[in-house]
Amino acid sequence: MALKITDSCISCGACQPECPNEAIFAGGDDYEFEGKTIPALSQDFYYIAPEKCTECKGVHDEPMCASVCPTDSCVKE
Ligand code: SF4
Ligand code: SF4
């Protein structure tokens, strides 16, 4: 399972450095997975690469992106 970022994201960037899996990307930024380039999942606001998100299990007690987001934009799918 993975979290996703809703359109209430204000692109503040606070969540990105908190992710232990580097699963969070700015809108418009492509990402790499298993050697392939995946086109950005959002052009307008930050997004989470679902293949990379582990919901922070085993690392933190709660999803870090959700805990730092000022607009409650990181939600469970
Ligand atoms: S829940 Fe954790 S692993 Fe998933 S995107 Fe948020 S910070 Fe990263
Ligand atoms: S912390 Fe919340 S508002 Fe800021 S970039 Fe991440 S999802 Fe968007």
Side-chain angles (χ1 to χ4, degrees):
M1 289 297 292
L3 270 71
K4 68 176 180 183
I5 293 175
T6 69
D7 63 5
S8 58
C9 169
I10 56 170
S11 296
C12 71
C15 54
Q16 194 173 39
E18 302 299 333
C19 178
N21 299 324
E22 298 185 3
I24 302 174
F25 298 87
D29 283 358
D30 298 342
Y31 68 99
E32 303 280 328
F33 183 70
E34 293 183 341
K36 292 185 197 146
T37 300
I38 317 274
L41 301 184
S42 169
Q43 295 296 325
D44 304 320
F45 44 82
Y46 277 63
Y47 71 90
I48 292 169
E51 305 92 339
K52 296 179 180 239
C53 174
T54 57
E55 299 188 356
C56 288
K57 284 186 179 140
V59 183
H60 297 294
D61 292 337
E62 58 185 358
M64 289 305 286
C65 52
S67 86
V68 301
C69 180
T71 57
D72 293 333
S73 300
C74 303
V75 298
K76 291 204 178 180
E77 290 195 276

